Amino acid sequence: MTDFWVSSGHHLLDRAEGGGLVATDEFLKAYLARPELVPPPEACAAERNLWARLRIAPRDPVEPAEIAALADPDARENWAFMIGFRDRLIAGPTLEAAYRRLVLSRSAGGVPPLFLDQLVHVILRNALDGETDPFVLRAAEMFFRPQRVTLHEGMLLVADEERVDGAVRDHASPLVAMFGEARARELDVMTEDNAAHWFHHSDAFDLVQDFRPGGPARRGLARAMEIWVRHMLALEVRIEPVERIEDEAWAWFVGLDQEATRIGNALWNGAELAPQDAERVVALFRMDIPGDTRILPKVVGRPVWLILAADGARILRMKPQNLITGLPLTAEADPN
C-alpha cells in the first residue's frame, strides 16, 4: 500500500483499540520544533529552560505563572496557545475525541486555526488509511487546506490556495489564467489518466481538481465526507452530488463553510438566492441517513442538504467540524 500525507505526522502516533489516534511524546515534540516555539538567541532564560524541559518531557505540567514569566509577549502568547492545545490532546483518550470535544464545546476559538487544520489532517489520514481512489484523497485535501476556485471555458477548477500566487485574466490557458504563468508550469489538472500520480507527491498539494458536475472530483468529496462522518460519529450516511435542491420544504441543511452557512440560512428563512450568492455556490450534495435511532424525528426519512461555497475572493475554506456539529442528531456518538 502506497503511503500518503507523511507530513501529517501519522507515523508518530499510536492507535487505540478502537482505531483512534493516541498522542505520543514524539508527536508532541514535533510541535516544539515549530519556529514560533524554538527560542531565538535573544530569548530569556525562562523561555530557554521551558523549551529544554519540554523537549525531554513534553507532557510535563506547565503552570500559567511559568508562561507569564517569559519576557517576550509574543512568546507568552505562543506558549499559552501551545500548552492549551497540548493539554487538550493528552486529555485523551484519542485525537478524534479531543477534536470532537473542541468543536462540540465551541471552545475551538482558543486554538490557532493552523493547529485545528493539522489535527484534521492527521485524523483524516487515519480515517482514509487503505483508501486507493486518488480522487477521494485529493478531494479530502479540501478539509484542511483552503482552495481557490475559478471558472474557465466550462471548467470549474479548484486548486490549493497556498500553491498559487494570483490570477492573470484573459489568457488562453485556464491554469495560467487562474494562477499566473510561473505557477501554472508546476500544476496539472487531475484526470483519469494522471490521477495515480497523486500518490507520488501527495504532500505537494499541487494537483488541480476539475470540479464540474458529474465528474470524479465531486464524487470523491462525497465519499471523503461519508468516511469522515463514519469515523468521527460512527454514523453510516450516503452522500451524493446533486445539481440542484429539489425540495420545497427542507428538513435540514449543513453549510460546509462559512459562506455556505450564510447562504443556506438565507434560503432557510425564505429569502431569494441573490445572483452573487448563486455564483459563490461551488457544489451541492444530498445526504441520506438510513435507519439510525439518533436522528431527530423530523428528519427521519428526509434528506440533509449540504452546501459548499467560495467567498467573494473565490477562496473556499471548508469547515469539516460542521459535519460533526451540524447534523440532526439527538446525541453524540464517541467511537474512539
Side-chain angles (χ1 to χ4, degrees):
M1 181 66 65
T2 305
D3 197 5
F4 62 93
W5 290 348
V6 176
S7 61
S8 69
H10 72 100
H11 292 98
L12 302 176
L13 292 157
D14 290 335
R15 267 68 179 173
E17 185 175 344
L21 298 170
V22 179
T24 63
D25 285 1
E26 290 74 17
F27 184 75
L28 298 175
K29 287 178 183 180
Y31 282 94
L32 298 174
R34 292 190 58 83
E36 301 94 331
L37 295 179
V38 176
E42 67 275 14
C44 66
E47 183 178 350
R48 294 196 302 271
N49 291 339
L50 175 61
W51 184 82
R53 173 161 63 89
L54 293 180
R55 286 280 293 171
I56 298 171
R59 298 171 189 266
D60 262 11
V62 177
E63 299 298 328
E66 293 183 74
I67 297 175
L70 304 182
D72 181 57
D74 289 336
R76 291 197 296 269
E77 182 179 45
N78 292 337
W79 277 102
F81 279 136
M82 172 54 197
I83 296 304
F85 183 64
R86 180 208 66 172
D87 289 347
R88 290 179 171 101
L89 295 187
I90 63 180
T94 64
L95 298 192
E96 285 86 346
Y99 181 79
R100 278 195 301 275
R101 281 197 299 271
L102 275 170
V103 300
L104 288 168
S105 66
R106 313 292 180 178
S107 61
V111 177
L114 176 63
F115 284 6
L116 282 179
D117 288 342
Q118 290 173 343
L119 194 52
V120 170
H121 188 187
V122 74
I123 291 172
L124 196 53
R125 173 59 183 82
N126 188 36
L128 292 167
D129 195 47
E131 178 60 54
T132 59
D133 187 338
F135 286 100
V136 174
L137 298 169
R138 169 59 184 94
E141 294 173 13
M142 300 169 73
F143 281 58
F144 56 91
R145 293 183 67 88
Q147 307 287 307
R148 179 171 291 162
V149 181
T150 193
L151 281 166
H152 187 85
E153 296 182 355
M155 288 189 291
L156 180 61
L157 299 179
V158 177
D160 190 276
E161 193 267 340
E162 190 176 288
R163 294 285 292 146
V164 297
D165 291 329
V168 178
R169 298 183 180 180
D170 300 323
H171 197 285
S173 165
L175 288 183
V176 172
M178 193 166 72
F179 308 130
E181 193 165 2
R183 302 299 298 192
R185 297 191 190 101
E186 304 172 16
L187 301 169
D188 291 310
V189 176
M190 195 170 179
T191 66
E192 296 282 2
D193 292 334
N194 68 9
H197 293 300
W198 184 90
F199 287 98
H200 301 300
H201 50 142
S202 68
D203 289 289
F205 306 109
D206 59 356
L207 282 179
V208 180
Q209 299 180 96
D210 180 355
F211 219 67
R212 281 178 290 182
R218 290 201 190 196
R219 294 193 298 271
L221 181 58
R223 178 59 181 154
M225 291 190 290
E226 289 176 347
I227 293 169
W228 174 254
V229 172
R230 181 180 64 204
H231 186 76
M232 297 302 295
L233 295 175
L235 184 66
E236 294 290 344
V237 300
R238 292 194 301 266
I239 301 176
E240 61 176 339
V242 296
E243 293 191 37
R244 61 186 60 85
I245 295 177
E246 297 180 344
D247 189 349
E248 293 185 0
W250 300 1
W252 204 269
F253 87 94
V254 175
L256 297 174
D257 55 85
Q258 184 173 332
E259 278 296 304
T261 300
R262 180 186 63 79
I263 293 169
N265 282 335
L267 294 173
W268 182 273
N269 291 318
E272 293 290 329
L273 184 61
Q276 63 269 26
D277 287 340
E279 292 177 358
R280 293 183 183 186
V281 174
V282 174
L284 301 169
F285 300 87
R286 172 180 173 139
M287 173 191 287
D288 290 290
I289 313 174
D292 196 288
T293 58
R294 293 168 292 168
I295 305 304
L296 292 173
K298 72 173 185 176
V299 188
V300 171
R302 301 286 303 279
V304 174
W305 303 104
L306 310 180
I307 306 172
L308 184 68
D311 63 19
R314 305 301 289 169
I315 303 300
L316 192 161
R317 294 179 174 86
M318 189 170 170
K319 300 178 70 173
Q321 63 266 39
N322 290 6
L323 286 167
I324 297 173
T325 63
L327 295 187
L329 303 181
T330 58
E332 180 202 3
D334 192 352
N336 304 113

